[in-house]
Amino acid sequence: MATAYEPHLQDDVPASGGAMSDEELAGILSEHEQRAIGYYESEIAQEQADALDRYYRRPYGDEREGRSKVVDATVAITVDNALAAVLKPFVSTDETVSFAPRSEEDEEVAMQATEYVNYVLHQDNPGFLIIHDWFKDAMLQKLGVVKCYWEDRTRAKPTRLERLDAMQLQQIQQEEEVIGGPYGPDEDGLFTIDILHSEPDGRLCVENVPPEEYRISPWARPGRVPPYEAHVTNKVRSELVEMGFDPKVVESLSKSSNAHQDSRYLARYEDESFETQAGLQPPGDASREMVAFNDEFALVDYDGDGVSELRRVMRSGNVILYNEEVEYGVFARLCPSPMPHKIYGQCPADQVKDEQRIATALWRQTLDNLYLSNNPRPVVGQGAERDNGTTIDDLMSGIPGAIIRAKDRTQFGDFSVPFVADKSFPMLEYVAHQSEARTGISKLGQGMDPDAIDKAGQITATQAAIMEDGRNSRAEMIARVFAETGVKDLFKIMLKMLVQHQPRSRMIRLRNKWVEMDPRQWNSDMDVAISVGLGLGNKAEQLTTAQGVLELYERLAPTPFATLIDKEKVYNAVKKFLNAAGIKNIDDFVNEPQKDEQGNLVQEPPPPDPKMIEMQAKAQIEAAKTQAKAQADQAEAERKLQETLAKIHLAEAEAQSKAQLEQAKAMFEARLAEQKFEFEAALAAKEARLNEEISRRDADREDEISKNREGGDLSE
């Protein structure tokens, strides 16, 4: 849960018996609370509750049966339009506030602080909703308050430590909570141990404080530390235990009785039926019981040295839970129409309450007159009424065309009410103009005056622009008041708390790259100024202004006055132009100028003299011509050489081809002759073998015949 201090600080609460006892301190704070501005049924509280009723258009309490009960919406329209106009410059850019260095050594730190504080507001917290609710409280309830505190998120997690020598092991066992081991020693004589290690962590929180929960001393003055300032609320017991308070002390605290029925609380939650449950505890076990809890800052001489010091005290009734001297408070306040020497001034809701009451009466009378004119009351004579009373019943019917039964119809007539409510319309318009004159905020918002369109032929463009500028002046003044009071105070408090409480460095993503932020190295009181970017004109005016700056830079660039601008200033002008066009993440469109390690812009060499540029250009042209001619001559010589070489190569190729052809022909003829010789030899050999075979066969046949013939030799 949220804490505004380090956990378990109940051990640091000073014991009673010093220069001032806890009972005396609790008594002083209780008296401060009862005398504080905004205490329950005070005049301020009643006005704030009435403003909520008027915003929600709730009945005034004087409504009559059968008459119009409509309620005008002047307060709601004025507040919402004023909020839209004032909120825009604070949320239309990524950097709500910038820290501007006043000395060279603060430049790098100021740039880092600007980026990180804006990141914390819009990434770690719902920055837009916080600013929206803060400004709306101021517009509707006279004063908007936010509270800045550090939320501790230290968590213990199991961690194994390895390769520890005996001395390291002994030291860790004394400093850390051991959950396993030690294991070892291993072959090297080293140990392993499991511990429950707590790593400090947390985040900075910004919270809206409801007006009914804020108290401030009537002796408080703007620009000075208030004698008393507090956030008075209820918390469940479980939340107090999570904040680090002793559970036994929390258990002993008395339950909150909600005896005070705060009118602002009831007006805020009337539509949720909270008024019937204001004295009840929420359902749940004992850990969900609510107890009173005051987070108070008071100037008291607690230590008895004769000098009042600012102390932060957290208490429930007369029980002091936390008490410590601090350097600064945690509240940032803003009021749209401050009064000199006062904390509470006025707001747009206060300035138009009367107009809403008058407009409500005019609307009701107008509608009542219209109802009576469209539905005239009948006049019935005694002679027209029937004995059974049906005549009156018929007259009470509102159905068009319904019959009326009567004894004598001549006894009927109409009591007509003339319609005169059209006389109210000019008065309603006058009331609307009065509301705008009081607040400077039109019911139609910050757009162009419709009269400027209707009178286009009667007024000039310059006159229309002057009228439009006048319509924005009040909203610009409110925005400037917000910037120089509450917004500036909030960012100073955020910077101090980040420096004081962030336990370690942190990696965040900025401009599409990861950057390490370590506020511990910053000086929380560094000499910086805070400037909130404003400019409430319509989008066309802002675009025109930004474009004019860029055009001016373009004209200055080629002149001797170019040194008046650099890349960073041009980047800022482009950033302003893109923001006016509705683009917040400009890193997707332009690159931020590069800087060296010291944070200085990387300077480019100055542009050369135009005459020198012209001479260099002419020399380059002549050199180019000479080079081109030389290249052409070289190309022609190369072409002729290639042509000659081609002819030589062709002749050589032809001679070589002819020789190869003759050689091939001779080889072919020789081979052919050789093959012919081989063929003829083979043929002769074959014929010889064939003749030999024939001769052998003939001889064999003759031998066979001679052996088988009877009678001897034929020759005989």
Side-chain angles (χ1 to χ4, degrees):
M1 298 296 291
T3 62
Y5 52 98
E6 300 293 340
H8 308 296
L9 283 183
Q10 70 274 5
D11 297 335
D12 298 333
V13 177
S16 301
M20 180 183 295
S21 66
D22 284 352
E23 290 76 10
E24 292 174 328
L25 179 61
I28 292 174
L29 295 176
S30 179
E31 184 176 0
H32 267 302
E33 179 186 359
Q34 295 177 19
R35 293 190 180 188
I37 304 174
Y39 182 79
Y40 296 114
E41 301 303 324
S42 64
E43 182 179 351
I44 292 289
Q46 292 299 321
E47 291 178 354
Q48 290 175 328
D50 183 61
L52 285 169
D53 287 335
R54 301 290 70 81
Y55 183 86
Y56 284 116
R57 300 174 60 194
R58 291 178 179 141
Y60 282 90
D62 58 352
E63 289 73 18
R64 297 170 55 188
E65 188 65 30
R67 296 298 180 114
S68 174
K69 297 181 178 63
V70 68
V71 177
D72 185 67
T74 297
V75 169
I77 293 173
T78 302
V79 168
D80 289 341
N81 285 343
L83 177 64
V86 175
L87 186 65
K88 182 178 179 181
F90 291 90
V91 299
S92 59
T93 63
D94 291 332
E95 294 182 358
T96 303
V97 170
S98 61
F99 292 84
R102 294 178 181 173
S103 61
E104 185 176 355
E105 59 270 14
D106 289 336
E107 186 170 356
E108 181 67 21
V109 173
M111 182 181 67
Q112 293 179 2
T114 297
E115 294 176 340
Y116 190 48
V117 172
N118 281 279
Y119 179 90
V120 169
L121 177 63
H122 292 286
Q123 301 300 325
D124 293 348
N125 296 273
F128 173 80
L129 292 179
I130 290 171
I131 295 175
H132 172 275
D133 294 350
W134 190 17
F135 286 11
K136 190 162 188 174
D137 275 342
M139 296 290 188
L140 183 61
Q141 304 274 268
K142 301 177 183 290
L143 197 71
V145 182
V146 293
K147 179 181 180 181
C148 187
Y149 58 90
W150 182 260
E151 181 182 58
D152 183 77
R153 290 187 173 183
T154 300
R155 297 292 182 269
K157 61 180 180 180
T159 304
R160 169 161 289 190
L161 302 179
E162 299 177 337
R163 302 190 63 77
L164 304 173
D165 59 29
M167 185 176 297
Q168 292 174 331
L169 178 63
Q170 182 179 4
Q171 182 179 359
I172 290 175
Q173 288 176 323
Q174 294 175 353
E175 296 177 353
E176 302 286 351
E177 180 180 353
V178 179
I179 59 176
Y183 311 107
D186 57 14
E187 60 274 9
D188 298 326
L190 301 178
F191 298 86
T192 298
I193 192 171
D194 294 328
I195 64 172
L196 197 63
H197 179 66
S198 297
E199 184 173 355
D201 197 6
R203 74 182 184 102
L204 186 65
C205 299
V206 182
E207 174 187 355
N208 295 100
V209 179
E212 62 268 20
E213 296 182 2
Y214 180 69
R215 304 285 186 270
I216 190 168
S217 170
W219 288 277
R221 296 294 179 264
R224 301 176 62 183
V225 177
Y228 175 82
E229 191 175 19
H231 180 195
V232 178
T233 185
N234 292 321
K235 290 185 180 294
V236 297
R237 298 186 192 275
S238 174
E239 186 175 358
L240 295 180
V241 173
E242 291 181 3
M243 291 171 64
F245 296 118
D246 188 345
K248 294 182 180 180
V249 176
V250 173
E251 185 179 356
S252 67
L253 299 177
S254 301
K255 293 193 297 185
S256 175
S257 62
N258 283 330
H260 297 283
Q261 301 293 316
D262 190 280
S263 56
R264 294 161 293 186
Y265 184 86
L266 299 179
R268 187 182 307 280
Y269 298 107
E270 180 178 336
D271 54 343
E272 299 179 8
S273 301
F274 268 38
E275 73 280 1
T276 62
Q277 305 179 32
L280 301 179
Q281 287 282 334
D285 54 33
S287 68
R288 304 305 300 170
E289 291 178 348
M290 301 191 72
V291 298
F293 183 82
N294 289 14
D295 186 6
E296 300 167 305
F297 291 78
L299 290 172
V300 294
D301 182 18
Y302 184 78
D303 53 12
D305 61 356
V307 178
S308 298
E309 66 269 6
L310 181 64
R311 303 197 72 86
R312 183 174 194 173
V313 180
M314 297 182 183
R315 67 182 176 95
S316 180
N318 293 325
V319 180
I320 302 296
L321 300 173
Y322 173 76
N323 177 14
E324 184 181 34
E325 183 177 355
V326 294
E327 297 179 359
Y328 55 90
V330 298
F331 300 100
R333 308 176 301 270
L334 47 81
C335 176
S337 182
M339 296 296 293
H341 321 300
K342 294 185 63 177
I343 298 298
Y344 280 84
Q346 285 195 321
C347 62
D350 294 332
Q351 296 165 341
V352 295
K353 281 182 182 179
D354 292 342
E355 277 66 25
Q356 177 163 317
R357 188 70 179 93
I358 296 170
T360 297
L362 291 172
W363 275 116
R364 290 179 178 180
Q365 293 175 10
T366 299
L367 293 175
D368 287 341
N369 184 225
L370 184 62
Y371 298 153
L372 294 174
S373 297
N374 292 342
N375 299 276
R377 300 177 63 184
V379 178
V380 183
Q382 287 184 335
E385 185 178 357
R386 300 177 70 189
D387 295 336
N388 59 3
T390 56
T391 302
I392 299 299
D393 293 338
D394 292 343
L395 289 171
M396 295 301 293
S397 174
I399 301 175
I403 64 172
I404 301 175
R405 293 163 289 186
K407 284 184 178 181
D408 184 1
R409 65 174 184 163
T410 60
Q411 297 294 321
F412 287 95
D414 286 334
F415 179 71
S416 299
V417 176
F419 181 74
V420 295
D422 56 341
K423 305 298 189 296
S424 300
F425 297 150
M427 189 62 184
L428 285 169
E429 185 177 356
Y430 172 76
V431 171
H433 282 295
Q434 282 294 106
S435 299
E436 184 174 347
R438 285 192 176 192
T439 63
I441 306 297
S442 170
K443 282 190 175 183
L444 299 178
Q446 291 297 302
M448 178 176 286
D449 188 348
D451 292 339
I453 300 176
D454 297 337
K455 303 174 183 177
Q458 305 176 28
I459 63 175
T460 65
T462 302
Q463 291 173 325
I466 293 174
M467 294 169 59
E468 179 69 11
D469 183 65
R471 290 162 58 84
N472 291 326
S473 297
R474 189 71 65 89
E476 288 182 353
M477 183 182 70
I478 294 175
R480 176 55 65 184
V481 170
F482 283 1
E484 295 296 335
T485 55
V487 176
K488 177 182 288 189
D489 292 340
L490 171 63
F491 277 76
K492 286 182 177 179
I493 295 172
M494 291 179 66
L495 179 61
K496 288 179 180 292
M497 285 201 166
L498 287 170
V499 173
Q500 180 179 352
H501 293 289
Q502 183 163 316
R504 54 190 175 86
S505 61
R506 178 184 179 191
M507 296 295 294
I508 63 174
R509 186 174 178 82
L510 290 175
R511 300 184 304 278
N512 297 323
K513 61 181 180 180
W514 291 97
V515 181
E516 183 179 9
M517 289 293 177
D518 190 359
R520 296 174 299 175
Q521 309 301 322
W522 303 344
N523 178 11
S524 61
D525 296 321
M526 60 182 173
D527 188 17
V528 298
I530 303 177
S531 58
V532 179
L534 298 175
L536 296 174
N538 56 41
K539 181 176 290 188
E541 290 179 346
Q542 296 181 29
L543 285 171
T544 301
T545 302
Q547 188 173 5
V549 173
L550 289 172
E551 291 176 353
L552 175 62
Y553 286 176
E554 185 178 3
R555 291 197 299 269
L556 288 175
T559 69
F561 302 102
T563 55
L564 297 176
I565 58 177
D566 54 30
K567 290 194 295 184
E568 186 172 16
K569 292 181 175 57
V570 175
Y571 172 81
N572 292 334
V574 173
K575 181 178 179 180
K576 186 72 174 179
F577 180 82
L578 293 177
N579 287 333
I583 298 172
K584 294 185 66 175
N585 188 14
I586 67 169
D587 295 325
D588 294 338
F589 300 90
V590 294
N591 295 322
E592 187 176 4
Q594 295 184 354
K595 296 184 179 181
D596 56 22
E597 296 179 355
Q598 289 74 32
N600 300 320
L601 285 174
V602 177
Q603 299 294 335
E604 296 182 355
D609 187 1
K611 293 183 178 180
M612 183 63 67
I613 294 177
E614 183 178 358
M615 293 175 61
Q616 291 177 352
K618 290 181 178 180
Q620 291 175 356
I621 292 174
E622 293 298 328
K625 289 181 179 180
T626 303
Q627 184 178 4
K629 187 176 183 304
Q631 291 177 349
D633 294 341
Q634 183 179 358
E636 180 64 19
E638 184 71 20
R639 185 188 65 78
K640 292 180 178 180
L641 177 61
Q642 293 296 331
E643 183 178 355
T644 302
L645 292 175
K647 291 180 179 180
I648 295 173
H649 290 325
L650 181 59
E652 291 177 350
E654 289 178 351
Q656 185 176 4
S657 298
K658 185 175 181 181
Q660 290 176 349
L661 181 60
E662 293 294 334
Q663 183 179 3
K665 182 178 179 181
M667 292 176 64
F668 176 74
E669 291 177 349
R671 180 59 180 167
L672 184 61
E674 183 180 355
Q675 290 178 351
K676 182 178 179 182
F677 174 77
E678 291 176 353
F679 176 75
E680 290 176 349
L683 181 60
K686 188 173 182 181
E687 288 179 355
R689 288 194 301 272
L690 181 60
N691 292 332
E692 183 180 355
E693 180 66 24
I694 293 173
S695 299
R696 186 184 61 78
R697 289 181 181 179
D698 289 343
D700 290 343
R701 188 179 300 115
E702 289 179 358
D703 289 340
E704 184 68 27
I705 293 174
S706 66
K707 287 179 181 180
N708 295 328
R709 181 181 177 187
E710 296 180 358
D713 192 357
L714 289 178
S715 63
E716 295 181 359

